[in-house]
Amino acid sequence: EYDLLYDNDSEIFGYIASSDTSEKILDWMDSDINPNNMSSFAVMNDGRIIAVLNHWDDETSVNELVLMERVDASSLPEKTVLTLACMGLDWSLRSKIVEYNKSNDQYRIQVVDYSEYATDDDYNAGITKLTTEIISGSVPDLFLTSSLPIDKYAAKGVVADLYTFMDGGSGLSRDYFVPQVLKAIEKDGKLYELPTKFSVETAYALSSIVDQYDTWNVAAVQDAMTQLQEGATVFSTGWTKSTALNNCLTRNLAAFVDWTTGKCTFDSEAFQQLLAFCNSFPDDSSSDDGIAYSSEAATVDTMDDPVWESDATRILSGKQLMATTSFYSFEDYIYNIYPVKDKVTFVGYPSESGEPGNSFYIQCPMAISSVTKYPDAAWDFVSTMIRQTNEDAESMYAFPISQEAFDKKMTSVMTEQYQLDVNGEQVDWDEDGEPDKMCIGTYEVVENGESTWQQVYALTQEDIDQILSVINSATGIVDY
């Protein structure tokens, strides 16, 4: 039938040279196979497909041999199909959708990935196609909202208020979630998308400088720069005008765009100040990789080899005003903040409103169509995906959206753990008479040019309070 076959992510296509066309032969997920587990496959001469799958089950490697053949669709058990629109599918969510479809005897989730319509000439072709279908009345039942203009869809009434589902008595209630994240996602008291997990993004500077200002805005940043040494940078070296504008807008676009009315205020005084701030950065990166180096410690013998300097080191020495950082876990505080934790304040990005410029980055956010024929099934799917993700929060590299799972991780990171042998017994490898503690993170300390690494076995209440202060004051959502 085809001149050649090719694999594209989770699908097999056949190519016909005479007409220069491709036809989709198989979508693995439609056959309840997780393409993440695909080891190899082949198409046989009679059209059947044979595949080798591999996955881990309770620390045991499981191999499966799958033989597939075409059958009449009418011979399969009938299920109600709900469509899920997305621009790329998260790998962990993909596996959960496969299991959901295999275990649910009434409903089935069909993924439509619009990113496959993107071309080299038009990266947004998939979004254009989805928006066109919505306008024509063909609205998906569910959305994976990453990289989708969800604010625009919400303003047009395309997606439902998820609070109505939470308050309906089935699935997950409001009490299940970390409230600060829900509050940040809200639009006029309504909730149009829900993530399975989140992280928080912020910026910090020396407390001795920040404490001089009532509002950490562009004017304060410009004044603070006069207190640093000549040639100092606002952020890490490598930031350009476009880097600054991109970072500031993705965390504060709502200040200039009202999706409900369509009004934009890019001629406002606040935006002019933002442009002036971004214009203070160089046009091009000052180094090839954007990493700060110093040759002060270099010698003739080392041919002036540069020595890498961390953000913390540059801030303490007056070479840099602020450093940006992300917390995907409590342990990230150790790697990023511990060397300067008693000397810095989390001010976030400069904000004209006076609120700290801290933002949440939400992962795997989902929305439900306002016109779906199966709202209860859609909410059951969203609830199931969130619940399953947060049940495995210990292995998650992100903060769980479940308040219970969040509190559990917080308690765990404040409790000292001990190294165990294969029998579960505590060990004393260094033979000092005390059981060896489990290290949860390390950080670098530089004194008199000498670098040493310190181990941390548990976070203190003061550490947790600093992390919570960032989460509690975050009001925005990072939106690309």
Side-chain angles (χ1 to χ4, degrees):
E1 296 176 76
Y2 307 100
D3 296 292
L4 60 87
L5 304 171
Y6 65 92
D7 173 37
N8 181 34
D9 192 19
S10 64
E11 302 163 330
I12 301 176
F13 289 82
Y15 176 73
I16 304 172
S18 60
S19 60
D20 190 24
T21 57
S22 294
E23 297 177 359
K24 186 186 297 184
I25 298 174
L26 173 71
D27 185 322
W28 295 109
M29 293 186 65
D30 286 346
S31 298
D32 294 341
I33 291 177
N34 184 358
N36 296 341
N37 300 335
M38 186 68 61
S39 176
S40 60
F41 72 89
V43 181
M44 303 167 70
N45 289 337
D46 59 6
R48 291 183 298 169
I49 298 175
I50 189 168
V52 178
L53 308 179
N54 177 271
H55 68 277
W56 288 88
D57 184 13
D58 294 331
E59 300 184 356
T60 301
S61 179
V62 178
N63 296 286
E64 294 178 293
L65 188 65
V66 179
L67 185 63
M68 308 178 69
E69 59 184 344
R70 295 178 186 268
V71 298
D72 192 318
S74 63
S75 67
L76 300 175
E78 283 195 22
K79 288 186 179 182
T80 300
V81 177
L82 282 75
T83 56
L84 170 67
C86 64
M87 285 290 291
L89 187 60
D90 177 85
W91 71 271
S92 61
L93 192 62
R94 174 183 288 169
S95 61
K96 290 180 174 61
I97 292 174
V98 170
E99 292 305 315
Y100 184 89
N101 286 339
K102 291 169 68 173
S103 61
N104 195 307
D105 57 4
Q106 187 177 3
Y107 296 102
R108 179 175 192 82
I109 304 300
Q110 182 179 41
V111 176
V112 182
D113 187 351
Y114 285 84
S115 67
E116 70 180 48
Y117 297 103
T119 66
D120 291 338
D121 297 325
D122 187 2
Y123 179 77
N124 292 315
I127 292 180
T128 302
K129 179 176 176 60
L130 172 58
T131 302
T132 302
E133 291 178 358
I134 291 173
I135 293 173
S136 66
S138 180
V139 184
D141 299 285
L142 295 146
F143 298 86
L144 185 61
T145 63
S146 297
S147 301
L148 290 180
I150 190 63
D151 287 337
K152 183 167 69 174
Y153 293 167
K156 297 295 183 182
V158 175
V159 291
D161 178 8
L162 298 180
Y163 279 144
T164 61
F165 294 97
M166 294 184 190
D167 300 337
S170 63
L172 304 176
S173 66
R174 299 192 193 208
D175 293 340
Y176 178 88
F177 299 93
V178 175
Q180 296 93 328
V181 183
L182 296 192
K183 187 66 177 177
I185 302 174
E186 276 185 13
K187 300 289 189 302
D188 298 324
K190 296 183 178 181
L191 190 73
Y192 296 108
E193 57 183 336
L194 261 179
T196 60
K197 47 193 174 181
F198 72 95
S199 59
V200 62
E201 301 191 1
T202 184
Y204 62 88
L206 286 177
S207 302
S208 58
I209 293 179
V210 173
D211 292 346
Q212 301 173 32
Y213 304 94
D214 295 329
T215 302
W216 191 245
N217 54 17
V218 171
V221 169
Q222 292 171 335
D223 184 72
M225 289 296 294
T226 64
Q227 303 179 46
L228 305 185
Q229 62 177 266
E230 185 178 354
T233 60
V234 177
F235 293 111
S236 301
T237 58
W239 275 57
T240 64
K241 298 180 193 297
S242 60
T243 306
L245 186 63
N246 178 66
N247 275 275
C248 290
L249 279 184
T250 52
R251 288 154 182 81
N252 199 31
L253 188 61
F256 307 109
V257 178
D258 186 333
W259 289 103
T260 303
T261 64
K263 182 181 180 182
C264 300
T265 54
F266 291 113
D267 56 354
S268 65
E269 181 180 354
F271 191 70
Q272 292 178 45
Q273 290 175 332
L274 176 60
L275 286 181
F277 170 66
C278 295
N279 207 40
S280 67
F281 289 80
D283 290 319
D284 300 307
S285 176
S286 58
S287 63
D288 291 337
D289 52 14
I291 297 177
Y293 291 97
S294 172
S295 58
E296 294 175 1
T299 65
V300 175
D301 294 334
T302 62
M303 300 299 291
D304 289 330
D305 285 344
V307 177
W308 174 76
E309 289 186 304
S310 67
D311 283 341
T313 300
R314 285 175 54 81
I315 286 177
L316 291 175
S317 62
K319 296 178 181 179
Q320 182 175 320
L321 178 62
M322 288 188 287
T324 59
T325 190
S326 300
F327 294 141
Y328 285 82
S329 67
F330 291 104
E331 290 83 354
D332 282 340
Y333 180 85
I334 301 171
Y335 311 127
N336 300 335
I337 306 300
Y338 243 64
V340 292
K341 66 174 185 174
D342 297 326
K343 301 180 178 67
V344 299
T345 298
F346 292 100
V347 289
Y349 285 76
S351 168
E352 297 305 317
S353 67
E355 296 179 343
N358 303 324
S359 303
F360 292 115
Y361 178 71
I362 56 176
Q363 301 184 35
C364 293
M366 293 170 285
I368 296 176
S369 164
S370 60
V371 295
T372 177
K373 296 179 181 178
Y374 317 105
D376 292 340
W379 176 238
D380 175 74
F381 170 76
V382 171
S383 297
T384 300
M385 296 300 101
I386 293 174
R387 188 183 295 109
Q388 288 183 355
T389 301
N390 284 262
E391 284 174 352
D392 191 26
E394 279 304 312
S395 61
M396 177 197 305
Y397 183 54
F399 290 115
I401 193 65
S402 159
Q403 183 68 65
E404 181 180 354
F406 180 90
D407 292 341
K408 184 177 179 181
K409 291 194 77 167
M410 183 169 60
T411 300
S412 175
V413 81
M414 295 175 69
T415 306
E416 290 185 348
Q417 308 290 336
Y418 293 89
Q419 298 184 42
L420 306 176
D421 60 20
V422 293
N423 298 317
E425 300 293 331
Q426 294 181 357
V427 296
D428 180 16
W429 301 115
D430 55 13
E431 299 181 345
D432 64 353
E434 297 290 336
D436 295 337
K437 296 177 182 178
M438 181 75 71
C439 174
I440 63 171
T442 60
Y443 65 98
E444 185 182 21
V445 175
V446 180
E447 291 183 357
N448 301 321
E450 296 293 326
S451 174
T452 59
W453 289 88
Q454 303 293 323
Q455 293 187 330
V456 178
Y457 304 103
L459 293 185
T460 66
Q461 185 62 56
E462 290 75 15
D463 298 335
I464 294 296
D465 288 343
Q466 268 206 324
I467 299 171
L468 293 180
S469 71
V470 177
I471 292 175
N472 292 336
S473 61
T475 57
I477 298 294
V478 179
D479 182 11
Y480 295 98

